[in-house]
Amino acid sequence: MYVSVIVPRPLDGAFTYRVPQEMEARISIGKRVIVPFGPRRYVTGIIEGIQFTRPADVAAVKDVIEVLDESPTVIHPQIKLWHWLADYYMCPVGDVFKAALPAGLKLESESVVEAAGDVEPEVYESLSDDDMKIVTAVRDKGKVSIKDLARSMGGRPVETAVSKLVDRGVLEMYESVVNRYRRVKMSLVTPLIAKGDNAALQAAFESVKRSEGQQKALLQIVALSSFNNATVPTRPVSKADLLEASAEYTWEHVQALKRKGLVDISVREVSRFTAPEDGDGKFAAPLPSLSPAQAEALRGIHESFMSKSVTLLHGVTSSGKTEIYMHLIDHVMKQGRQVLFLVPEIALTTQLTRRLQRVFGAKVRIYHSKFTDNERVDIWRDMLGSPGPCVVIGARSSLFLPFSNLGLVIVDEEHEPSYKQYDPAPRYNGRDAAIVLASLHGAKTLLGSATPTVETYYKATEGGKYGLVSLLTRYGDVCLPDIEVIDLAAERRKHAVDGAFSNVLVAEGRRMLRDGRQLIFFHNRRGFSPRARCRQCQFVPKCDHCDVSLTYHKHSNTLECHYCGAIYPVPKVCPNCHEPAMEIEGYGTERIEDGVSALYPDARILRLDLDTTRSKEAYGHIIDDFSAHKADILVGTQMVTKGLDFGDVGMVGVVNADNVINYPDFRSAERAFNMLEQVSGQAGRRAGAPGKVMIQTYTPDHPVIGFVRRHDYPGFYEYEIEQRRQFVYPPFSRVINIFIRHRDRSVAHSVARDYASRLRTLLGNRVNGPVEPPVARVASQYIMQVMLRVETEASIKQVKAILRSVYVEMNSGVEKSGAGIYYDVDPV
């Protein structure tokens, strides 16, 4: 027997291994196996095929080392999705595997060293001081991995030195497969006294009367295990619950009860993922009632699903899309099927989870990258265990979960760029992958947004590929907020601007606070200031590894690169002219927060950006506190635009709209309209409390500002689709960006020119570039970009075949140069 195995390496295709006869009965597709890969390494692979003849094109076939699973960890639709992602987004299937499976399910070997025995004394005497330090460290630890050894040696590389010591017989090295996943085990205590046997119960207490601790422990076990409730069976009591109930006994007292035969103590593996119990009725809320407009939209979706696999729900902000989603979820789960509810940001899972749990209780699952790896493994195994009808809420990574009976996929805020994975590969769009996932399961897909992407709206109107249902009134007939555009240039001429805030914006904020309303200030740059600058020579410090200016962060008093994460001290004097003239210039959310605090000294302020939400819980705490009115003002980046629901917000202030409008990209207008319209939708979401949006800009006559002012998505769409048609951008073409990177700028340019030239001979004027992207160096790698724009009627499959053939043709030269080439299909 031979198996085709996908390995978590950036390599195309699967690798063939022979199955030892004693393992053949345990082999099946989707199971994990440990296989040798390379001279000494062992990795976890996934079986994707089985055959009984040795492949003719394979010179040497290695054996499978171990079968890890009793049942498959990856199911058939998942493997099909992996191959679709690899093919469509032009990346190795090994990269997809690496991204899909939690690290705890991917066992790998690591090199372990230990001291060799019977080493002659003169060998030690001939070692250098550095070598002896390594030998001493290994002896002290007994057995130690190369990684831990390097850490103990101050982080310096030790591989070469260890290899030489192994060659000299001083150290021994071998590979050890490491499983970093740790199961959670729970001790359970169950009374062994027959239920209803009062004589036996009295005898049990008689046997422990000399130990007050044992009496108290037995009394608590009887109480917590429902022993005295004749209508329910006796249930085991967890050790944690038992010890938490009282301090009058210890675990030793419980173990003494076991020795006397009064209780049984068992150990059971449990999942870290604990779904909320709904037995007490806490989550037994009925489905929300729908307004006539919502009910009509729901009927429209059901009708659309009869003829279309994908439907767009175009609902204005605060129109009640979530209530419609809940009715659809209930409908699908009553059929015994599962639902995937995708959101663009982890922040959105907090509010959404609570709303769904109130109705669906323990049937709600959550999955995203902020969970620990052990938690993600537990949720994966829970899904593999066929949890029955359930709804999974998650960011794009939840696409990879092992759904067994998927009936519906909801993609909320489908326009969000956050659905796109940028680095590392696979560079997939979660929205588009979700549509494919649904089709593999025979499920339906619902896309929801107040500001759909131009491509999606085109497919739902002119293209006819998707169904379209519109919901154009807010829930409860609440009016959309009034929008006032503030011309910052004119205000500055009147000296009516304090820092980043115009007087009219500040005054409106004060009025709202006096009325007990909340404020949101939106600014799409985090940090304190976008740059430090020398007022003498205008020098701006840049990252040593990236072509970007450094952002000043006041809380740490450092300059940080938002591309590679490098941190630098703030220079006391200018590195260029050596004058003490460095100053902080511009505004980030941290500085906006300081400014807001000075303008409204009595207000309670929160900030929502990447810097304040590093932990899994941070999102929830900030959103909960603002929702509960524990803060008056929220300052945030684009995170505050993404479908959050705050009922008391009276005013939204856009500090500088030009930050989102002026970006060199064909999607900049769409991105700006979506962001401004979405953040505007946070104001005045409840009846009787109209909202106000104040947009500060230096370009008040920009077309996007006009469409936002009128809340005119159809008008914006008509304007934008005409621009796209004129310049042949999506949806009238398909775009593939090709990136070439190298540590040497001249090599990157040379390879990019050669690559573009070869493509141009085959694809003509569809090839644009090469050019340097706006940020032309990241993490010490110089980047060049070639854009391929292909008409929609052309065969994209054939175009990708040409790209691959050119890559193979150039491969030897590219490898010699050390350049890297990767593709971004359908960039956003």
Side-chain angles (χ1 to χ4, degrees), residues 543-697:
C543 177
D544 293 341
H545 314 287
C546 310
D547 280 343
V548 290
S549 58
L550 298 169
T551 300
Y552 175 67
H553 287 256
K554 185 180 178 183
H555 74 280
S556 58
N557 192 34
T558 57
L559 296 172
E560 297 184 15
C561 175
H562 286 177
Y563 278 79
C564 71
I567 298 174
Y568 302 84
V570 180
K572 289 184 171 59
V573 298
C574 173
N576 185 51
C577 69
H578 308 293
E579 291 291 328
M582 295 302 296
E583 62 182 4
I584 302 304
E585 183 181 67
Y587 289 85
T589 47
E590 195 179 355
R591 192 172 189 180
I592 295 295
E593 182 185 19
D594 278 4
V596 168
S597 180
L599 291 168
Y600 309 106
D602 298 326
R604 300 160 296 174
I605 302 169
L606 291 171
R607 176 159 53 93
L608 184 68
D609 58 25
L610 190 61
D611 297 315
T612 61
T613 54
R614 299 287 183 184
S615 69
K616 179 174 66 177
E617 294 80 16
Y619 287 101
H621 292 326
I622 294 170
I623 291 166
D624 287 349
D625 287 350
F626 194 65
S627 296
H629 222 309
K630 293 179 181 178
D632 307 299
I633 301 173
L634 180 66
V635 176
T637 58
Q638 39 82 29
M639 287 184 180
V640 303
T641 71
K642 299 187 178 183
L644 296 168
D645 185 19
F646 301 122
D648 295 330
V649 174
M651 187 195 86
V652 170
V654 179
V655 177
N656 190 340
D658 304 317
N659 284 344
V660 294
I661 291 174
N662 299 323
Y663 192 81
D665 179 64
F666 77 89
R667 295 186 194 275
S668 61
E670 177 184 31
R671 197 176 292 118
F673 177 85
N674 291 353
M675 205 173 285
L676 293 173
E677 182 64 19
Q678 289 285 339
V679 77
S680 298
Q682 295 296 345
R685 296 174 75 96
R686 297 294 179 267
K692 189 77 175 281
V693 181
M694 314 285 281
I695 299 178
Q696 298 188 146
T697 175

Side-chain angles (χ1 to χ4, degrees), residues 454-455 661 663-671 716 719-720 723-724 727-737 785 787-789 826-828:
V454 169
E455 289 97 317
I661 291 174
Y663 192 81
D665 179 64
F666 77 89
R667 295 186 194 275
S668 61
E670 177 184 31
R671 197 176 292 118
F716 168 75
Y719 164 81
E720 183 66 13
Q723 299 286 316
R724 303 280 185 94
F727 295 103
V728 198
Y729 278 116
F732 304 106
S733 65
R734 304 283 293 278
V735 173
I736 300 174
N737 282 334
Q785 177 182 333
M787 186 175 77
L788 185 60
R789 194 164 40 177
D826 300 339
V828 299

Side-chain angles (χ1 to χ4, degrees), residues 89-92 95-96 98-99 421-428 822:
Y89 292 102
M90 301 186 68
C91 69
D95 276 339
V96 183
K98 194 172 182 180
Q421 162 75 15
Y422 289 100
D423 269 316
R427 296 172 178 85
Y428 67 100
Y822 63 92

Side-chain angles (χ1 to χ4, degrees), residues 43 420 433 538:
V43 300
K420 177 73 171 179
Q538 307 305 306

